[in-house]
């Protein structure tokens, strides 16, 4: 084992060689050494090197100054004192080399990360979440581990959340994957064009969803080239979309060679981060705590270059084991020459007092930089933890060359370091200290000037917007009028911001509309954009108010269409469908509207007719919309028109006819990344339709495809729907273990009431059949409050579960009443209640409610009339067989259920037939019961097995 009291030279050598982009053979040639010598040093076989060897290696690695002194000392197994600060070295890939000793006490964690890198290099993906307080060493730990990434043959990428960028979706991933740095890469070029609004710039599109799809595809493509490590640091400052995408990647790491690393502080306790901890697949959790006493002593010794005396160690105790605090504390002592090494090799405190807090220690560091460097650092603090050097030059109004002396000084002082293609603060706390020392008013004014400078330099909209948000004070602050240049910039950037960062757009457009006057050339445009984005972020009441006010003076045809569109959407969401249609009719009557606008208005009118329960009218309007959209080449309108037609066709009972419409709609949406969400919705609905047709093999395959896409790029709504639809299909076909996994894949709090009620109902039904009564009743109890929120809508599994609960309690009459309540509340919806019919007829006949049983059997006949769908035919046969006590009909029903791949219902039909065969033919009855028993056993339906076997006693 290497001597733990000395710096780990093998790891240091490997780090520096990797950063120099040299192989062991290349380094050996450059240093005039053998490859074996370099290899033995890196592996720790030789723990130290001769002075001549160390000097040759330092020369080959182009080390100079203090860094060379430290390297040679480490090679000799010695500690070297640090004076002011060792400059940090960063690559665009992995970040900085930690100061000597910074990772003391983290050997176990380093070994864990090294093991994960070895696994990903071998093709096994994994994910890890690292948590700890500020300065505890999360970033330093990962950077040290990634120094070995190239040795493992891995490509590494690093992104980070930023306090100033939290309102901008996906920023950590966009920057971490270096999207803007490689314009020749087709995937990155597509992403950049989406960001600029050059493709899919569509008010009806979801740019964040499209970006998520492209980013996930980019990660998959990168993993196909080489094992990949993706780090997202400071997750506590990442936007919700980035956190969600990190979680999706974590759930898919087993499918590709990806090591996904996230680092975050324990606070703030954001709900999405709490959910991430619960739902991020099998992500390993590493929680960094303070260094123990021995590690702190070792760290201090490495910093001062000798064994520290008791006074120094007592000072270090105040850091509570926080490595950054210890490093900053002793850096301050070094800068003031307060520590000296005695002739006997000990380090003692000779003068001055130490900073009393981490903030004070950081302030001490900043106090040593010159006035020009400090001005540059303050401007950099406005831009965030990481920033582009050209942006800093723009904000300061200088050329990049003029900044070189200040930047060099800041790097030498340990304040800035390289970060990707730009620069960054060595630690976010350093940036925070500079930012917070500026008076609030000065800071806001400087943000305002920075925003204007960046806008005039044609900087990306997100960089201008983050400055404007800080300049205007953010949400909840006292509104200040926008300058004229801000209004003009927002007119140009509004559509892109709405699609890219809707919450940012809401804040800026509210200020813009309040700052401009009705009648100003662009006031109506900004108001229309504000109404649109308010609707998108579910502020429908305010959206309607804004749109109504704007309509009183808007005259431009396209604006009139936009405003009426928003009004119609708001009213439809509120259930005011007639008012919605009135707004749409008024918009369609506007003179001079384009074909594209007409197609979209017709689509919305068709959807509204659907919601009004007028499928025939909806179909006619959707068909017209499809024709107009096709002529205009509008894929958005074509996709949504086809979606409406699939719903209308299914509602009219022509489910088979809906399938070609699904195929056509999916083909349209596949060609447009802006229609990702619609494509997911279509796939989910197609899977459900195939299931309703008893084409379960295709249905399950389609549902799995939808789930895979939803896990990659879907919103949480679509992910829930995909899991739920697949779970129901698996339940119907008797694949109950898999069904339980699907309905329990996501926590109930992220599900809409209908999906939660359906999932919990399926779980309860399975548990009742398996004799797990307590678990069944827990699921049922959890479903009840959700069911109350969806009114009278029939959720078949939930109603069946309530009936089973009463039946298990020995109350068949109450069990029947639960089912009948479902029919009573949905008397006209025959198809919606068909799954309740078999149990309802069985219970009605069993409790002597013959008239009820006959009425329900007639209902089953009506649903099956003219249908070729196996389960509908089987339902009618089963119900009629139970009422008429017809054994042959029940056996035929069992076979037809088998054709439909519905094993539970087949077993129930067989059981009913066996009971009717009776004592007159015990052998025949036993044979039929045997068939039922085999099915129940395959389902592990213990309750049914016990009941069936008890009947033979």
């Amino acid at each position: 084992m290497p001597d733990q009291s000395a710096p780990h030279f093998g790891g240091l050598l490997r780090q520096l060689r990797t950063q120099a982009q040299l192989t062991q053979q290349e380094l050996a040639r450059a240093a005039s050494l053998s490859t074996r010598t370099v290899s033995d040093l890196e592996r720790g076989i030789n723990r130290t090197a001769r002075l001549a060897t160390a000097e040759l290696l330092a020369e080959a690695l182009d080390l100079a100054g203090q860094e060379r002194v430290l390297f040679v000392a480490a090679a000799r197994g010695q500690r070297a004192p640090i004076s002011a600060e060792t400059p940090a070295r960063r690559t665009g890939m992995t970040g900085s080399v930690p100061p000597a000793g910074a990772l003391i006490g983290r050997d176990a964690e380093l070994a864990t990360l090294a093991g994960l890198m070895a696994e990903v290099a071998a093709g096994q993906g994994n994910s890890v979440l690292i948590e700890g307080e500020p300065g505890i060493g999360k970033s330093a730990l990962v950077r040290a581990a990634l120094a070995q990434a190239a040795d493992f043959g891995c490509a590494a990428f690093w992104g980070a959340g930023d306090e100033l960028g939290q309102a901008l979706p996906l920023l950590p991933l966009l920057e971490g994957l270096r999207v803007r740095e490689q314009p020749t890469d087709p995937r990155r070029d597509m992403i950049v064009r989406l960001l600029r609004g050059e493709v899919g710039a569509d008010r009806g599109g979801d740019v964040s969803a499209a970006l998520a799809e492209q980013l996930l595809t980019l990660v998959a493509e990168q993993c196909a080239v080489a094992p990949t490590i993706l780090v997202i640091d400071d997750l506590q400052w990442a936007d919700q979309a980035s956190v969600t995408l990190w979680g999706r990647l974590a759930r898919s790491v087993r499918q590709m060679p990806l090591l996904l690393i996230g680092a975050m502080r324990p606070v703030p306790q954001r709900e999405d981060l709490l959910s991430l901890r619960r739902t991020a697949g099998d992500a390993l959790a590493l929680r960094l705590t303070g260094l123990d006493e021995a590690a702190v002593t070792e760290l201090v010794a490495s910093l001062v270059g000798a064994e520290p005396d008791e006074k120094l160690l007592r000072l270090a105790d105040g850091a509570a084991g926080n490595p950054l605090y210890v490093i900053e504390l002793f850096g301050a002592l070094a800068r003031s020459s307060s520590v000296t090494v005695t002739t006997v090799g000990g380090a003692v405190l000779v003068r001055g007092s130490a900073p009393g807090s981490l903030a004070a220690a950081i302030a001490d560091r900043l106090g040593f930089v010159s006035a020009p460097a400090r001005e540059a650092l303050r401007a950099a603090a406005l831009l965030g933890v990481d920033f582009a050097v050209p942006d800093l030059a723009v904000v300061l109004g200088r050329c990049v060359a003029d900044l070189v002396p200040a930047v060099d000084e800041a790097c030498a002082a340990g304040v800035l370091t390289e970060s990707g293609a730009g620069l960054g603060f060595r630690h976010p706390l350093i940036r925070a200290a500079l930012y917070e020392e500026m008076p609030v008013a000065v800071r806001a004014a400087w943000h305002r000037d920075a925003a204007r400078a960046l806008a005039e330099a044609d900087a990306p909209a997100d960089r201008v917007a983050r400055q404007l948000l800080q300049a205007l004070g953010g949400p909840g602050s006292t509104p200040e009028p926008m300058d004229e240049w801000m209004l003009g910039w927002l007119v140009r950037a509004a559509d892109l911001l709405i699609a890219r960062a809707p919450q940012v757009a809401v804040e800026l457009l509210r200020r813009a509309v309040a700052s401009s006057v009705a009648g100003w050339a662009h006031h109506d445009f900004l108001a229309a954009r504000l109404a649109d984005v308010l609707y998108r972020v579910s502020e429908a009441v305010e959206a309607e108010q804004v749109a109504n006010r704007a309509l009183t003076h808007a005259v431009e045809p396209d604006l009139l269409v936009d405003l009426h569109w928003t009004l119609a959407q708001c009213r439809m969401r509120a259930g005011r469908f007639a008012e919605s249609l009135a707004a749409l009719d008024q918009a369609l009557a506007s003179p001079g509207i384009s074909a594209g606008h007409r197609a979209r208005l017709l689509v919305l009118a068709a959807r509204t007719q659907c919601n009004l329960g007028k499928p025939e009218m909806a179909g006619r309007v959707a068909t017209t919309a499809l024709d107009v959209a096709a002529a205009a080449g509008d894929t958005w309108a074509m996709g949504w028109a086809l979606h409406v037609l699939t719903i209308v066709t299914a509602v009219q009972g022509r489910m088979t006819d809906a399938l070609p419409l699904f195929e056509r709609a999916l083909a349209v949406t596949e060609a447009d990344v802006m229609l990702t969400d619609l494509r997911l919705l279509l796939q989910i609905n197609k899977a459900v339709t195939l299931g309703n047709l008893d084409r379960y093999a295709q249905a399950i395959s389609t549902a799995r495809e939808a789930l895979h896409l939803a896990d990659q790029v879907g919103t949480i709504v679509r992910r829930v729907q995909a899991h739920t639809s697949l779970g129901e299909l698996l339940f119907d076909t008797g694949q109950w273990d898999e069904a339980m996994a699907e309905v329990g894949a996501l926590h109930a709090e992220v599900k809409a009431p209908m999906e939660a009620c359906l999932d919990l109902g399926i779980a309860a039904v399975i548990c009742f059949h398996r004799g797990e009564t307590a678990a069944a009743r827990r699921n049922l109890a959890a479903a009840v409050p959700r069911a109350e929120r969806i009114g009278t809508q029939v959720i078949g599994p939930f109603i069946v579960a309530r009936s089973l609960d009463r039946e298990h309690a020995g109350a068949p009459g109450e069990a029947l009443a639960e089912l009948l309540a479902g029919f009573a509340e949905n008397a006209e919806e025959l198809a919606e209640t068909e799954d309740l019919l078999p149990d309802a007829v069985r219970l009605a006949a069993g409790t002597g409610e013959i008239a009820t049983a006959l009425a329900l059997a007639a209902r089953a006949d009506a649903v099956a009339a003219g249908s070729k769908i196996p389960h509908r035919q089987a339902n009618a046969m089963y119900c009629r067989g139970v009422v008429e006590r017809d054994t042959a009909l029940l056996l035929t029903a069992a076979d037809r259920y088998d054709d439909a791949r519905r094993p539970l219902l087949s077993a129930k039909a067989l059981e009913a037939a066996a009971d009717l065969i009776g004592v007159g033919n015990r052998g025949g009855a036993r044979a039929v019961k045997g068939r039922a028993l085999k099915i129940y056993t395959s389902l592990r339906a213990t309750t049914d097995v016990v009941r069936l076997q008890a009947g033979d006693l």
Side-chain angles (χ1 to χ4, degrees):
M1 290 288 290
D3 179 6
Q4 293 299 307
S5 65
H8 302 286
F9 178 66
L12 178 62
L13 178 60
R14 184 184 301 109
Q15 272 183 327
L16 294 172
R17 175 178 61 76
T18 301
Q19 289 171 359
Q21 298 185 342
L22 296 172
T23 65
Q24 288 184 344
Q25 292 88 343
E26 289 168 340
L27 176 59
R29 281 197 300 271
S32 299
L33 298 169
S34 69
T35 304
R36 177 68 178 271
T37 297
V38 175
S39 175
D40 286 352
L41 285 169
E42 288 192 358
R43 290 183 293 154
I45 295 175
N46 292 332
R47 294 175 294 175
T48 60
R50 290 179 299 176
L51 179 59
T53 299
E55 292 288 356
L56 288 170
L57 288 168
E59 188 68 26
L61 291 167
D62 196 26
L63 303 180
Q66 187 70 16
E67 190 172 29
R68 185 176 184 128
V69 172
L70 289 170
F71 177 83
V72 173
R76 303 292 292 143
Q78 301 167 351
R79 298 186 179 93
I82 60 173
S83 52
E85 185 66 33
T86 302
R89 293 166 48 130
R90 290 184 77 172
T91 69
M93 185 179 295
T94 61
S96 67
V97 177
L103 287 173
I104 287 171
R106 302 297 187 206
D107 291 349
E109 291 86 353
L110 275 172
T112 296
L113 293 179
L116 293 174
M117 285 193 292
E119 289 180 8
V120 78
Q124 176 62 62
N126 218 317
S127 57
V128 57
L129 268 174
I130 304 172
E131 292 190 59
E133 66 182 41
I136 205 66
K138 303 180 293 296
S139 304
L141 168 65
V142 178
R143 287 172 185 151
L146 291 194
Q148 303 178 55
D151 289 346
F152 283 109
C154 297
F157 299 86
W158 185 299
D162 189 326
E163 282 183 289
L164 296 184
Q166 290 183 76
L168 299 166
L170 302 170
L171 197 60
L173 286 127
L174 290 166
E175 295 185 347
L177 290 165
R178 304 198 285 276
V179 165
R180 291 188 175 99
E181 297 173 28
Q182 300 181 34
T184 58
D185 176 69
R187 185 68 55 189
R188 287 179 170 86
D189 179 62
M190 170 61 78
I191 294 171
V192 170
R193 291 170 65 202
L194 277 169
L195 290 170
R196 292 174 179 164
E198 295 172 2
V199 292
D202 177 354
R203 288 182 53 239
D206 185 343
V207 172
S208 290
L211 283 172
E213 179 177 19
Q214 294 296 314
L215 286 169
L216 286 160
T217 304
L218 175 60
V219 171
E221 290 173 350
Q222 175 61 48
C223 289
V225 173
T228 299
I229 303 169
L230 175 58
V231 181
I232 301 298
D233 199 2
D234 288 320
L235 271 170
Q236 77 281 350
W237 288 332
D239 61 282
Q240 187 171 2
S242 293
V243 172
T244 300
L245 192 55
W246 196 99
R248 291 177 193 155
L249 282 169
R251 286 186 291 276
S252 63
V253 290
R254 299 295 184 180
Q255 302 166 21
M256 53 186 163
L258 173 66
L259 174 56
L260 184 66
I261 301 175
M264 61 182 175
R265 301 176 185 179
V267 291
Q269 293 281 321
R270 283 170 40 182
E271 182 55 40
D272 56 343
L273 292 175
L274 294 173
S275 178
L276 180 67
R277 293 185 183 98
R278 294 192 296 264
T279 62
D282 298 322
L284 175 69
L286 287 180
R287 290 179 174 81
L288 299 189
T289 57
L291 300 177
D292 61 24
E293 184 178 349
V296 170
T297 300
E298 187 176 352
L299 175 56
V300 173
S302 73
L303 293 170
V304 299
E307 293 296 329
D309 68 0
E310 287 301 315
K311 286 184 179 179
L312 290 174
L313 292 179
R314 281 198 296 273
L315 282 176
D317 286 343
N322 185 296
L324 178 66
Y325 191 175
V326 173
I327 292 168
E328 290 298 323
L329 174 63
F330 283 87
L333 294 174
R335 284 187 292 273
S336 62
S337 301
S338 297
V339 178
T340 189
V341 178
T342 66
T343 57
V344 295
V348 297
L349 182 67
V350 294
R351 69 172 66 87
S353 59
S357 67
L358 177 55
I362 291 172
D364 179 270
R365 176 184 298 279
L366 296 172
F368 277 77
V369 299
S370 66
R374 196 177 188 89
E375 180 191 16
L377 288 171
R378 283 175 169 169
L382 299 172
L383 298 173
V385 175
D386 296 308
F387 55 91
V389 177
D391 285 355
L392 180 60
V394 167
V395 170
L396 287 169
R398 303 179 194 171
C399 67
V400 171
D402 291 341
L403 295 180
V404 170
V407 168
D408 283 348
E409 181 183 345
C411 289
V415 178
L416 295 182
T417 185
E418 292 180 32
S419 176
L423 291 173
F425 288 92
R426 189 169 61 83
H427 196 280
L429 292 176
I430 298 176
R431 180 251 164 201
L434 281 160
Y435 189 75
E436 290 166 7
E437 75 178 11
M438 290 184 276
V440 173
V442 172
R443 207 161 60 202
W446 207 351
H447 275 300
R448 207 178 191 100
D449 291 344
R452 183 168 191 172
L454 289 168
E456 291 174 350
D458 201 25
D462 60 300
R463 293 181 185 172
V464 178
R466 66 199 293 186
Q467 295 300 314
L468 278 180
L469 285 174
Q470 302 304 316
L472 298 172
S477 63
T478 302
E480 292 186 16
M482 274 189 163
D483 298 336
E484 187 173 344
W485 76 264
M486 294 180 185
L487 296 172
W489 176 83
L490 198 52
V491 167
R492 299 189 300 274
D495 284 335
L496 180 57
L497 280 178
I498 289 170
R500 171 79 176 86
Q503 292 293 349
V504 173
V506 166
E507 182 60 28
L508 294 180
L509 285 167
R510 276 181 176 146
R511 304 283 182 115
V513 171
S515 299
S516 60
V517 180
W520 176 62
H522 298 297
H523 174 86
D524 295 342
F525 173 83
L526 293 173
R529 297 286 81 80
L530 175 58
D532 175 34
V533 73
L534 284 167
Y535 171 77
R536 292 185 187 219
V537 298
S538 300
E539 297 286 349
V541 173
E542 185 182 352
E544 186 173 357
Q545 293 169 350
V546 171
N548 275 323
R549 283 197 297 269
L551 278 171
T552 61
H553 40 75
V555 294
E556 200 271 321
D558 283 349
L559 282 184
L560 288 170
V561 169
D562 289 347
L563 290 165
H564 282 298
W565 168 280
T566 302
L567 272 180
Q569 292 272 46
C570 292
R571 291 166 178 173
M572 188 164 66
R573 179 173 289 181
R576 293 151 51 202
F577 301 117
E579 291 181 57
S580 178
L581 281 175
L584 291 168
D585 288 341
Q586 190 174 351
L588 285 165
S590 301
I593 66 171
S594 66
H597 275 132
R598 181 173 297 279
R600 294 179 180 219
L601 291 168
L602 287 168
V603 165
L604 191 54
R607 293 169 63 187
T608 307
Q609 294 286 2
C610 252
N611 289 322
L612 279 169
K614 298 179 179 179
E616 291 185 7
M617 177 62 75
R620 287 198 295 272
V621 176
T623 299
T624 302
L626 181 59
D627 292 340
V628 175
D634 189 332
T635 55
W636 187 95
M638 289 174 64
W640 281 102
L642 287 163
H643 167 66
V644 173
L645 288 172
T646 63
I647 294 173
V648 168
T649 306
V651 167
Q652 292 174 334
R654 299 182 290 116
M655 287 185 287
T656 302
D657 294 339
L659 295 179
L661 294 170
F662 278 117
E663 294 303 324
R664 186 178 174 189
L666 287 167
V668 167
T669 58
E670 190 173 11
D672 190 340
V673 295
M674 300 301 298
L675 295 177
T676 298
D677 187 66
L678 176 58
R679 183 160 83 253
L680 262 173
L681 180 60
L682 287 163
Q683 281 192 300
I684 292 167
N685 287 347
K686 180 184 175 184
V688 172
T689 301
L690 287 166
N692 289 336
L693 290 167
D694 294 336
R695 294 165 63 169
Y696 280 105
Q698 290 175 271
I700 291 172
S701 175
T702 301
R704 290 193 191 280
E705 290 175 10
L707 179 57
H708 177 69
L709 180 60
D711 277 338
Q712 286 188 316
V713 300
T715 62
I716 188 62
V717 172
R718 297 291 181 244
R719 287 182 57 222
V720 168
Q721 291 171 342
H723 278 291
T724 296
S725 61
L726 179 56
E728 189 170 19
L729 293 168
L730 293 167
F731 168 71
D732 287 344
T733 55
Q735 301 173 71
W736 285 2
D737 290 338
E738 290 185 66
M740 288 292 283
E742 292 301 328
V743 300
L746 298 174
H747 285 265
E749 68 263 21
V750 303
K751 301 177 183 179
M754 187 174 74
E755 281 80 13
C757 191
L758 181 56
D759 287 348
L760 291 163
I762 288 172
V765 170
I766 291 173
C767 288
F768 276 127
H769 279 286
R770 287 183 165 177
E772 300 165 2
T773 306
R777 287 178 172 148
R778 282 196 301 273
N779 284 304
L780 192 54
V784 168
R786 274 99 177 173
E788 291 172 350
R789 292 169 58 189
I790 57 178
T792 61
Q793 188 167 2
V794 172
I795 306 294
F798 171 69
I799 295 175
V800 171
R802 292 185 66 147
S803 176
L804 283 171
D805 179 41
R806 296 294 80 218
E807 197 169 359
H808 275 64
E814 294 177 17
L816 174 62
E818 293 287 353
L819 297 172
L820 294 179
F823 295 114
E825 293 169 351
N826 294 270
E828 302 302 319
E829 301 292 335
L830 297 181
E832 296 297 320
T833 55
E834 62 177 312
D835 288 340
L836 307 181
L837 289 167
D839 281 325
V841 170
R842 173 180 60 82
L843 287 166
T847 55
E849 297 282 348
I850 303 302
T852 299
L854 286 168
L856 292 170
R859 189 177 182 118
D861 288 336
V863 173
S867 174
K868 296 181 180 179
I869 300 173
H871 80 266
R872 287 187 171 176
Q873 295 176 348
N875 276 351
M877 293 175 187
Y878 174 87
C879 293
R880 189 61 58 190
V882 168
V883 170
E884 298 177 0
R885 300 180 61 81
D886 187 326
T887 303
L889 204 52
L890 288 168
L891 290 172
T892 304
D895 291 339
R896 203 69 180 119
Y897 278 132
D898 193 50
D899 293 337
R901 288 190 58 189
R902 298 204 176 191
L904 178 63
L905 292 171
S906 181
K908 288 184 176 182
L910 290 168
E911 184 178 359
D915 288 341
L916 288 178
I917 293 173
V919 295
N921 185 359
R922 292 179 62 86
R926 185 164 295 172
V928 174
K929 277 191 178 182
R931 290 171 59 192
L933 184 62
K934 184 177 181 180
I935 295 173
Y936 286 140
T937 302
S938 70
L939 297 173
R940 292 198 292 116
T942 306
T943 300
D944 303 288
V945 169
V946 170
R947 183 186 64 250
L948 203 61
Q949 289 176 335
D952 284 337
L953 298 178

